[in-house]
């Protein structure tokens, strides 16, 4: 090993430290700062001066202290052991830190991201002597009950695989060697590393073609997100951004979920940590924790590590995508990430653009969301992976003209707009149906095996959205002249849209049945509400008075239908018969 | 080894900031003593070091400091609070120095006031209900141990009475548990601080309290340190002395203004309304110090108070606070005018942790459904009230009229209770049912049918 480059601190201003004697250092190299060995990253170079963003609190650091260049960019460790982990923004395992250093975060601790002692049973899936190159799967490790962790050939390795044996290994032991054409040998391990700021290579990218089912009615039915798609959830505080993110992390039909708590509340991460091991995945029946990786860099943890946390998260997510899995990444909140960028930029005395944010804000946000997508993964066997990103945005005062919201809207394909007004009415999820949008609606039909059902569902969504649109206009009139002045059909439209809002769009995240609704049940519930609407209109045309329709006892059954468990879905279907029966009894 | 170094090399002073040159081995964040020509001492903290140049913020302000005669001593340590169990019952100034006539604290320990972030993995989820005796909080926005729930107030609104009521009534003890109140006053008036202190005296809670008082006429920059002293004290009481600590920070708007003053003096690029871009992060380092820790008996529950300029919730201080805290209690000027006390604006108020702290075994099984229904009913009633102001009451439908009556009843009986009535959560819940009894069962869509049968007064009486 060559002599390590060592510089000297000359300036400390908050999280940014400047060091001299750094000739030859590269941008984004990781350095250790001061006697406390704080972790930092070079973000600017001027001659032999390097500006360093430090991932830990810098109190007590002063000029003259040493700065050591590790000559490697900020990287994460990828391998068995990621699942069920909780990391800080630079992949230090928080659970192990508690054991080692206590309940409060101390400084300068270096702990590897992957457990070095745990042994994993590795099973090769290729024969010795086979030619391998980057991305090829050489074997598998079963990680928990849900996930088969595929061991892939790292970048830059090519040749003939030898000595690959089944057995129990730690992540740093050699599982086999690859002999290159020039005779050199490279050892294969269960673990590989990857610099977080670079996206992992793929063969090519594909357009999304399938929805990521979330079990949230307003999302799946009206504003769906695709596997490999991007979505953003902006909204003022108290509108339920985090609950939406948590709900998605719980119920999406992804193989792996990476949840990045970026600059948010500590208790929210605790909530995830206490809930996920107990909640069962509706498909596998296993605890949700068995498919989750958590990154927690809460708001009071160092700001520079917050900046890194989304990159750490996305790199881990890409790694699982490369195995051919469907991965979903939730980042809560990207505004805090942008603020971290702003703080670092201010300390570097860069020229600010809008609201003090650096001029490269838009580019960084776009580059981050572009790491999502459905792809053909590198290597053999041929496989497809998908990575979806769902980012929360917290605009100041809920003002959507905020730079971060605008930069995000430029790149994402789904927009779930959270409204303070809906939240105040306790209508959750407070996703506004009039302003939200999704570019993935066309794939809704692919969710149903039955072609006929698929067509009907698409028609239902168009019809019901039409009613909700009509409602917003009718309410204007009602405000002026009162509901009595409307025609019976208009009053029926108002009543049905109220039912759509209260009985369909409104969904209780804390109710054990209502928290998740299958696509099948969504179809039945929506169909039922629209069926009542259609039958009522027909009855009104025959002269039945609208008051009689409003008094139908079946309405209460409809209101409570969403609480009928999935197993008893036949009960939902039966409500249509009750509708027929009761309308039939109305006198015209 | 830690020798204290003295310098007379002050080169410039501007606003609350002072530049000292030719300093050897100064450390970022450490504190300094400044001795003026007349022998008086001021305190400061290092904001930036560059080679041998050191930028110091002076807590007491720089008026009267001169470049030639002042001596700066580098104490080679961060700001610290001396703690011991005797700290209870004491009053300190905004810089943690005793302000009452009591003796100096003989410290068992000195703690860095900046603290360290709690490892998220070590946190225990806050789910223990605190009965505050205030219906709008207990019934609709329940407070739990370890939560941070701010009060968004405005000039002329009675937030002082509410915090006093909270401190008085929330101190109900469990079996063998200890309770303490830590109060940090930042730039509030003498009267407001005295009102609170007197109230604690009357109830005898003063012996279980620690005060850090920076009044409106005390140095503004000192306020930056005040909440950190208070929280360091709270952490000591909660996590080393196993107490349940209620921290009241009044008023955070003044704190933020002090922060803005420093930022402006440093010529930093301002964010919204001149507040620094790092205001969110800075506030988070204060608010996030509340909570519970696995394996520790104590907890820190925080009630910051802030006054919204022009009652504007989108002002940076309430806005960023709302993004960090777990809900907010908003006071309403119109309710205050109607003599509803405490004038809690129910609809925009929120407690994010309510769902985990209530229900069977904690409060009562009907709690969640009940507050959902009350909210929905009150929201609808408010709409009807607005409609009535536009079109006149006569134009309302019979149903709207009913909801409007409900909203009025709800305001006068449920929200309004005065500052000295201590309602048990049972009473609060029953009152909710009583108010809902004006509706038919089928209208109470948010409540489980079985619960209606069990708790609705008209069925209860039959049983």
């Amino acid at each position: 090993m060559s002599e390590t480059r060592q510089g000297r601190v000359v300036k400390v201003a908050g999280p940014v430290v400047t060091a001299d004697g750094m000739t030859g250092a590269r941008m984004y190299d990781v350095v250790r700062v001061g006697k406390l060995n704080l972790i930092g990253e070079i973000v600017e170079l001027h001659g032999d001066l390097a500006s360093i963003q430090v991932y830990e609190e810098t109190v007590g650091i002063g000029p003259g202290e040493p700065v050591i260049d590790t000559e490697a960019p900020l990287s994460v460790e990828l391998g068995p052991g990621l699942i069920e982990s909780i990391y800080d923004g630079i992949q230090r395992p928080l659970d192990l830190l508690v054991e080692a250093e206590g309940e409060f975060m101390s400084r300068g601790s270096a702990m590897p991201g992957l457990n070095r002692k745990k042994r994993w049973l590795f099973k090769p899936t290729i024969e010795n002597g086979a030619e391998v190159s980057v991305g090829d799967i050489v074997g598998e490790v079963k990680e928990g009950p849900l996930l088969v962790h595929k061991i892939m050939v790292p970048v830059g390795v090519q040749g003939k695989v030898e000595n690959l044996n089944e057995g129990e290994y730690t992540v740093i032991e050699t599982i086999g060697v690859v002999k290159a054409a020039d005779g050199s040998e490279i050892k294969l391990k269960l673990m590989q590393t990857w610099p977080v700021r670079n996206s992992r290579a793929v063969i090519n990218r594909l357009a999304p073609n399938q929805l990521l089912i979330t079990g949230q009615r307003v999302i799946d039915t009206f504003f769906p997100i695709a596997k490999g798609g991007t979505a953003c959830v902006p909204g003022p505080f108290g509108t339920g951004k985090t609950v939406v993110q948590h709900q998605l992390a719980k119920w999406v039909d992804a193989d792996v979920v990476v949840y990045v708590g970026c600059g948010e509340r500590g208790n929210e991460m605790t909530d995830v940590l206490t809930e996920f091991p107990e909640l069962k995945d509706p498909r596998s029946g296993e605890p949700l924790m068995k498919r989750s990786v958590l990154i927690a860099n809460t708001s009071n943890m160092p700001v520079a590590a917050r900046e890194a946390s989304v990159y750490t998260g996305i790199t881990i997510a890409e790694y699982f995508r490369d195995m051919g899995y469907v991965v979903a990444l939730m980042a809560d909140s990207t505004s805090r990430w942008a603020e971290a960028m702003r703080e670092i930029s201010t300390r570097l005395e860069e020229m600010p653009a809008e609201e003090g944010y650096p001029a490269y804000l838009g580019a960084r946000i776009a580059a981050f969301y572009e790491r999502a997508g459905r792809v053909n993964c590198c290597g053999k066997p041929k496989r497809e992976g998908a990575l979806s990103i769902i980012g929360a945005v917290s605009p100041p005062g809920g003002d959507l003209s905020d730079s971060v919201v605008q930069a995000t809207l430029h790149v994402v394909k789904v927009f779930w707009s959270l409204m303070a007004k809906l939240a105040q009415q306790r209508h959750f999820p407070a996703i506004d149906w009039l302003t939200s949008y999704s570019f993935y609606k066309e794939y809704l039909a692919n969710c149903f095996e039955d072609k006929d059902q698929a067509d009907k569902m698409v028609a239902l969504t168009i019809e019901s959205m039409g009613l909700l649109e009509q409602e917003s206009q009718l309410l204007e009139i009602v405000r002026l002249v009162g509901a009595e002045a409307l025609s019976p059909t208009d009053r029926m439209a108002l009543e049905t849209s109220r039912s759509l809002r209260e009985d369909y769009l409104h969904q209780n995240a804390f109710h054990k049945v209502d928290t998740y609704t299958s696509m099948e049940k969504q179809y039945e519930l929506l169909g039922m509400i629209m069926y009542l609407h259609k039958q009522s209109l027909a009855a009104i045309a025959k002269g039945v008075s609208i008051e009689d329709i409003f008094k139908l006892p079946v309405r209460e059954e409809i209101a409570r239908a969403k609480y009928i468990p999935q197993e008893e879905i036949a009960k939902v279907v039966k409500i249509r018969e009750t509708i027929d029966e009761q309308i039939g009894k109305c006198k015209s | 080894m830690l020798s204290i170094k003295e310098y007379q090399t002050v080169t410039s002073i501007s606003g609350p900031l002072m530049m000292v040159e030719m300093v050897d081995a100064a450390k970022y964040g450490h504190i300094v003593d400044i001795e003026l020509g007349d022998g008086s001492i001021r305190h400061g903290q290092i904001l930036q070091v560059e080679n041998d140049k050191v930028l110091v913020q002076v807590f007491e302000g720089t008026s009267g400091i001169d470049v030639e005669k002042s001596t700066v001593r580098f104490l080679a340590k961060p700001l610290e609070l001396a703690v011991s169990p005797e700290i209870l019952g004491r009053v300190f100034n905004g810089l943690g120095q005793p302000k009452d006539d009591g003796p100096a604290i003989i410290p068992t320990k000195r703690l860095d006031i900046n603290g360290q972030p709690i490892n998220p993995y070590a946190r225990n989820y806050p789910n223990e209900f605190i009965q505050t005796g205030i219906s709008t909080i207990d019934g609709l926005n329940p407070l739990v141990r370890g939560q941070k729930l701010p009060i968004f107030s405005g000039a002329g609104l009675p937030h002082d009475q509410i915090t006093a009521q909270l401190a008085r009534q929330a101190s109900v003890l469990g079996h063998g548990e200890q309770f303490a109140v830590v109060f940090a006053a930042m730039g509030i008036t003498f009267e407001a601080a005295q009102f609170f202190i007197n109230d604690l005296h009357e109830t005898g809670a003063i012996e279980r309290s620690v005060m850090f008082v920076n009044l409106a006429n005390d140095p503004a920059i000192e306020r930056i340190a005040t909440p950190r002293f208070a929280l360091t004290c709270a952490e000591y009481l909660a996590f080393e002395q196993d107490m349940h600590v209620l921290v009241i920070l009044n008023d955070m708007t003044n704190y933020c203004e002090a922060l803005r003053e420093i930022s402006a003096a440093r010529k930093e690029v301002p964010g919204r309304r001149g507040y620094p871009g790092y205001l969110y992060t800075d506030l988070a380092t204060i608010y996030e110090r509340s909570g519970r820790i696995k394996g520790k008996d104590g907890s820190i529950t925080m009630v910051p108070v802030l006054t919204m300029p022009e009652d504007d919730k989108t002002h940076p201080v309430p806005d960023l606070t709302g993004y960090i805290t777990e809900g907010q209690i908003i006071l309403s000027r119109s309710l205050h005018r109607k003599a509803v006390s405490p004038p809690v604006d129910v609809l925009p108020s929120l407690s994010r942790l309510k769902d985990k702290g209530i229900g069977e075994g904690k409060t009562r099984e009907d709690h969640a459904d009940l507050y959902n229904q009350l909210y929905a009913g009150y929201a609808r009633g408010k709409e009807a009230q607005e409609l009535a102001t536009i079109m006149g009451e006569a134009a309302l439908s019979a149903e709207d009229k009913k909801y409007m009556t409900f909203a009025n009843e709800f305001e006068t009986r449920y929200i309004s209770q005065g500052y000295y009535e201590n309602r048990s959560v049972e009473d609060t819940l029953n009152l909710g049912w009583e108010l809902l009894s004006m509706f038919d069962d089928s209208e109470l869509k948010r409540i489980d049918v079985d619960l209606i049968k069990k708790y609705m007064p008209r069925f209860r009486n039959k049983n």
Side-chain angles (χ1 to χ4, degrees):
Chain A
M1 184 147 173
S2 67
E3 205 174 302
T4 38
R5 187 173 300 113
Q6 185 168 338
R8 219 171 47 92
V9 173
V10 292
K11 178 181 173 185
V12 187
V16 173
V17 167
T18 310
D20 67 3
M22 299 295 287
T23 317
R26 290 169 306 175
M27 278 291 273
Y28 296 114
D29 271 1
V30 170
V31 295
R32 305 300 296 233
V33 178
K35 291 174 195 144
L36 286 167
N37 244 345
L38 307 184
I39 302 170
E41 191 181 17
I42 298 177
V43 289
E44 203 175 78
L45 287 167
H46 278 292
D48 73 336
L49 287 180
S51 296
I52 297 154
Q53 62 173 352
V54 182
Y55 295 128
E56 300 175 85
E57 179 62 49
T58 51
V59 167
I61 301 289
E65 292 192 40
V67 174
I68 297 160
D69 186 358
T70 65
E71 297 181 18
L74 183 66
S75 301
V76 287
E77 296 184 352
L78 302 167
L82 286 171
I83 296 289
E84 284 193 76
S85 288
I86 173 163
Y87 294 117
D88 77 347
I90 47 175
Q91 213 204 6
R92 287 184 297 193
L94 290 169
D95 45 350
L96 300 180
L97 281 179
V98 173
E99 277 169 35
E101 294 171 352
E103 294 90 1
F104 292 88
M105 301 290 291
S106 49
R107 293 189 284 168
S109 45
M111 199 171 268
L114 292 179
N115 190 328
R116 292 286 188 272
K117 292 196 184 113
K118 189 168 164 96
R119 305 191 85 83
W120 301 92
L121 178 63
F122 169 77
K123 285 188 182 145
T125 50
I126 57 165
E127 300 292 321
N128 277 317
E131 284 286 334
V132 294
S133 64
V134 53
D136 287 359
I137 293 172
V138 297
E140 295 173 348
V141 166
K142 189 115 171 70
E143 194 177 357
L146 286 181
L147 193 93
V148 177
H149 197 115
K150 312 261 168 74
I151 305 302
M152 295 172 287
V153 175
V155 167
V157 179
Q158 193 165 16
K160 203 175 271 180
V161 66
E162 282 172 10
N163 270 333
L164 193 68
N165 294 317
E166 179 170 335
E168 293 207 338
Y169 301 94
T170 65
V171 289
I172 44 171
E173 283 171 344
T174 306
I175 55 169
V177 290
V178 174
K179 212 170 223 164
D182 61 7
S184 63
E185 280 186 4
I186 297 168
K187 289 173 183 161
L188 282 180
K189 291 173 183 160
L190 292 183
M191 181 188 97
Q192 50 178 293
T193 58
W194 188 266
V196 296
R197 291 183 197 278
N198 301 345
S199 55
R200 284 174 63 88
V202 295
I203 296 177
N204 58 355
R205 295 181 48 176
L206 308 163
N209 62 353
Q210 252 192 342
L211 293 190
L212 189 68
I213 306 295
T214 65
Q216 310 304 302
R217 292 188 290 267
V218 59
I219 293 176
D220 288 347
T221 308
F222 294 109
F223 310 106
I225 176 170
K227 286 178 177 151
T230 50
C232 79
V233 205
F237 65 82
T239 48
K241 279 183 300 299
T242 302
V243 179
V244 169
Q245 292 273 32
H246 281 197
Q247 282 298 93
L248 295 188
K250 284 174 196 167
W251 307 122
V252 288
D253 63 337
D255 301 307
V256 177
V257 169
V258 180
Y259 192 94
V260 186
C262 168
E264 288 285 313
R265 305 175 182 91
N267 282 333
E268 283 170 1
M269 293 316 296
T270 316
D271 190 19
V272 173
L273 279 172
T274 42
E275 265 202 321
F276 276 32
E278 281 167 24
L279 288 171
K280 299 273 189 293
D281 180 9
R283 285 162 300 276
S284 66
E286 290 293 335
L288 288 170
M289 201 63 197
K290 302 285 179 202
R291 62 163 198 188
S292 311
V293 183
L294 305 177
I295 317 268
N297 209 91
T298 56
S299 54
N300 55 339
M301 286 158 77
V303 95
R306 190 198 299 170
E307 195 268 338
S309 65
V310 297
Y311 292 109
T312 301
I314 192 102
T315 307
I316 293 174
E318 282 179 337
Y319 172 68
F320 284 110
R321 175 206 65 193
D322 287 349
M323 296 178 199
Y325 288 123
V326 174
V327 186
L329 176 119
M330 282 89 198
D332 184 17
S333 148
T334 56
S335 290
R336 306 303 163 219
W337 169 53
E339 276 167 16
M341 264 191 258
R342 171 167 72 183
E343 186 162 347
I344 304 294
S345 159
T346 312
R347 304 285 187 189
L348 291 173
E349 291 166 12
E350 290 172 342
M351 183 67 84
E354 241 176 300
E355 294 170 53
Y357 285 109
Y360 47 77
L361 174 76
R364 291 266 173 97
I365 289 178
F368 168 67
Y369 281 102
E370 272 302 286
R371 288 175 78 166
R374 187 167 76 98
V375 302
N376 275 321
C377 309
C378 285
K380 300 184 290 274
K382 196 170 174 313
R383 58 196 186 270
E384 258 181 40
L387 167 55
S388 311
I389 300 181
I390 297 142
V393 192
S394 322
D399 174 11
L400 293 184
S401 68
D402 164 64
S403 318
V404 184
V405 178
Q406 286 305 318
T408 308
L409 287 181
H410 275 305
V411 284
V412 298
K413 290 285 193 284
V414 181
F415 170 53
W416 297 318
S417 169
L418 297 178
M419 296 287 269
K421 193 164 170 271
L422 290 174
Q424 276 185 25
Q425 293 164 358
R426 294 300 185 266
H427 176 102
F428 287 112
I431 296 175
D432 181 35
W433 47 90
L434 296 175
T435 49
S436 302
Y437 59 76
S438 163
F439 282 100
Y440 301 122
K441 275 185 192 169
E442 52 188 301
Y443 310 120
L444 180 63
N446 300 0
C447 298
F448 295 88
E449 277 168 29
D450 183 349
K451 170 87 173 58
D452 180 48
Q453 219 175 40
D455 290 344
K456 275 191 191 149
M457 184 67 179
V458 172
L460 278 174
T461 58
I462 294 170
E463 235 174 285
S464 45
M465 192 42 74
L467 270 177
L468 288 166
E469 179 75 45
Q470 196 188 347
E471 181 196 32
S472 67
Q473 291 160 6
L474 286 175
L475 283 178
E476 294 283 307
I477 302 174
V478 170
R479 228 159 267 142
L480 292 173
V481 294
E484 314 291 322
L486 294 180
S487 72
T489 31
D490 281 350
R491 285 182 68 189
M492 194 59 226
L494 270 186
E495 189 58 25
T496 304
S497 27
R498 192 193 51 76
S499 168
L500 280 172
R501 280 190 284 114
E502 291 179 6
D503 307 333
Y504 193 77
L505 297 178
H506 179 276
Q507 189 167 1
N508 186 349
F510 301 101
H511 189 283
K512 61 182 186 304
V513 174
D514 202 24
T515 184
Y516 176 86
T517 309
S518 69
M519 246 9 234
E520 186 194 5
K521 193 172 153 196
Q522 294 190 23
Y523 168 75
E524 292 299 342
L525 286 175
L526 190 62
M528 168 189 75
I529 294 171
M530 295 310 288
Y531 185 72
L532 174 68
H533 182 66
K534 213 175 82 195
Q535 296 305 98
S536 304
L537 283 182
I540 290 167
K542 277 194 219 143
V544 173
S545 93
I546 189 137
E547 272 73 24
D548 288 346
I549 303 268
F550 285 177
K551 277 186 210 133
L552 289 180
V554 73
R555 311 186 69 85
E556 202 178 329
E557 260 180 82
I558 292 178
R560 300 195 192 271
K562 55 185 173 184
Y563 302 121
I564 296 173
Q566 175 70 26
E567 306 82 62
E568 299 166 27
I569 195 162
K571 284 190 185 166
V572 183
V573 184
K574 267 196 95 167
I575 294 181
R576 291 194 195 211
E577 290 168 24
T578 321
I579 293 174
D580 283 339
E581 192 187 316
Q582 292 187 0
I583 287 192
K585 280 187 198 152
C586 289
K587 293 195 191 81
S588 46
Chain B
M1 242 315 265
L2 280 180
S3 56
I4 292 170
K5 294 178 179 139
E6 278 191 7
Y7 294 90
Q8 289 197 307
T9 45
V10 178
T11 52
S12 69
I13 302 170
S14 112
L17 305 180
M18 188 173 80
M19 183 72 92
V20 193
E21 294 194 9
M22 294 187 284
V23 179
D24 180 37
K27 307 286 186 198
Y28 171 76
H30 282 178
I31 52 168
V32 300
D33 276 355
I34 304 144
E35 190 176 334
L36 272 57
D38 62 1
S40 63
I41 302 277
R42 299 214 184 155
H43 306 83
Q45 186 174 17
I46 300 176
L47 281 187
Q48 185 177 318
V49 273
E50 182 165 10
N51 295 316
D52 62 349
K53 291 195 198 71
V54 176
L55 185 70
V56 175
Q57 74 176 5
V58 185
F59 288 119
E60 291 92 341
T62 46
S63 74
I65 301 186
D66 66 316
V67 176
E68 277 178 12
K69 293 193 195 109
S70 305
T71 310
V72 182
R73 268 193 291 279
F74 287 81
L75 303 180
K77 61 176 185 187
L79 260 179
E80 286 172 338
L81 176 70
V83 291
S84 85
E86 272 75 60
I87 203 165
L88 278 173
R90 300 295 303 270
V91 181
F92 299 88
N93 69 6
L95 276 180
Q97 297 150 338
K99 201 183 175 181
D100 48 11
D101 305 327
I105 299 281
I106 299 163
T108 53
K109 224 177 204 189
R110 288 177 188 279
L111 299 172
D112 178 355
I113 65 155
N114 289 308
Q116 288 290 340
I118 301 176
N119 184 321
Y121 190 79
R123 278 182 189 269
N124 210 346
Y125 198 73
N127 56 8
E128 291 171 16
F129 178 78
I130 303 177
Q131 180 173 307
T132 64
I134 302 173
S135 287
T136 40
I137 296 180
D138 290 351
L140 302 170
N141 298 294
L143 180 68
V144 293
R145 275 182 184 155
Q147 187 174 11
K148 37 194 179 298
L149 188 66
I151 295 175
F152 286 12
S153 182
L157 289 177
H159 46 265
D160 293 330
Q161 278 90 329
I162 296 175
T163 47
Q165 190 177 14
L166 269 175
R168 198 185 319 125
Q169 297 180 172
S171 39
V172 182
L173 296 175
H175 2 274
E177 291 176 328
Q178 286 195 303
F179 190 85
V181 176
V182 174
F183 180 71
M186 288 159 283
I188 62 172
T189 59
F190 169 77
E191 276 175 52
Q194 203 57 39
F195 170 81
F196 191 82
I197 295 173
N198 286 346
D199 202 88
L200 288 181
H201 263 297
E202 277 168 30
T203 53
I206 194 85
E207 281 147 37
R208 312 224 55 80
S209 313
V210 190
M211 311 263 168
F212 293 86
V213 183
N214 167 285
L215 295 179
N217 59 345
D218 287 332
I221 304 306
E222 197 178 285
R223 278 165 214 163
I224 293 177
T226 310
R228 297 193 161 84
F229 276 109
L231 284 161
T232 307
C233 174
E235 278 171 3
Y236 170 74
L237 295 174
F239 303 131
E240 293 184 37
Q241 303 290 319
D242 297 334
M243 292 182 178
H244 293 292
V245 186
L246 175 70
V247 181
I248 293 172
L249 307 173
N250 187 7
D251 161 338
M252 287 306 288
T253 308
N254 295 335
Y255 167 85
C256 294
E257 276 168 13
L259 206 64
R260 175 165 68 176
E261 194 178 331
I262 292 288
S263 171
R266 293 184 72 181
K267 302 190 172 60
E268 289 170 340
V269 183
R272 279 198 311 149
R273 301 229 189 165
Y275 289 98
Y278 49 81
L279 184 60
Y280 174 85
T281 305
D282 190 277
L283 286 174
T285 58
I286 293 177
Y287 296 143
E288 279 287 329
R289 287 172 80 171
S290 59
R292 293 165 68 205
I293 292 183
K294 282 181 203 158
K296 308 246 179 190
D297 291 331
S299 65
I300 299 180
T301 309
M302 197 188 294
V303 179
V305 176
L306 49 94
T307 44
M308 300 181 280
E310 293 192 44
D311 297 348
D312 176 11
K313 205 170 71 166
T314 64
H315 182 276
V317 179
D319 189 47
L320 296 178
T321 299
Y323 274 122
I324 306 165
T325 54
E326 285 132 358
Q328 66 278 335
I329 301 292
I330 300 185
L331 303 188
S332 149
R333 205 167 284 278
S334 90
L335 285 180
H336 185 53
R337 267 191 230 114
K338 286 196 228 170
V340 170
S341 62
V344 174
D345 199 350
V346 168
L347 296 181
S349 294
L350 168 75
S351 164
R352 290 168 190 268
L353 303 181
K354 59 178 184 288
D355 296 293
K356 305 277 160 62
I358 59 172
E360 211 170 348
K362 288 179 173 153
T363 55
R364 214 167 72 182
E365 53 176 338
D366 55 328
H367 199 155
D369 282 8
L370 184 63
Y371 75 62
N372 274 327
Q373 189 65 57
L374 286 170
Y375 259 116
Y378 183 55
R380 180 119 189 240
K382 283 291 257 190
E383 263 173 39
Q385 274 181 353
E386 277 164 32
L387 220 59
T389 51
I390 304 171
M391 311 196 301
E393 226 179 294
L396 293 185
S397 67
E399 214 184 329
D400 279 345
K401 268 189 202 144
K402 187 156 73 176
Y403 275 99
M404 192 169 99
T405 321
F406 171 76
N408 291 337
E409 285 278 297
F410 184 76
E411 283 173 7
T412 49
R413 293 179 58 197
Y414 194 94
I415 303 181
S416 191
Q417 67 176 86
Y419 299 111
Y420 291 91
E421 186 184 339
N422 191 351
R423 280 187 196 154
S424 74
V425 66
E426 237 356 45
D427 287 348
T428 294
L429 293 174
N430 291 342
L431 180 59
W433 280 107
E434 209 179 299
L435 290 169
L436 286 178
S437 63
M438 71 166 70
F439 297 110
D440 291 336
D441 293 353
S442 62
E443 284 173 290
L444 306 176
K445 276 194 193 172
R446 313 240 167 158
I447 309 186
D448 199 277
V449 188
D450 297 338
L451 292 175
I452 297 182
K453 292 270 182 296
K454 192 165 169 191
Y455 290 102
M456 183 57 97
R458 58 174 163 264
F459 295 113
R460 275 185 143 188
N461 297 341
K462 276 182 204 157
N463 294 344

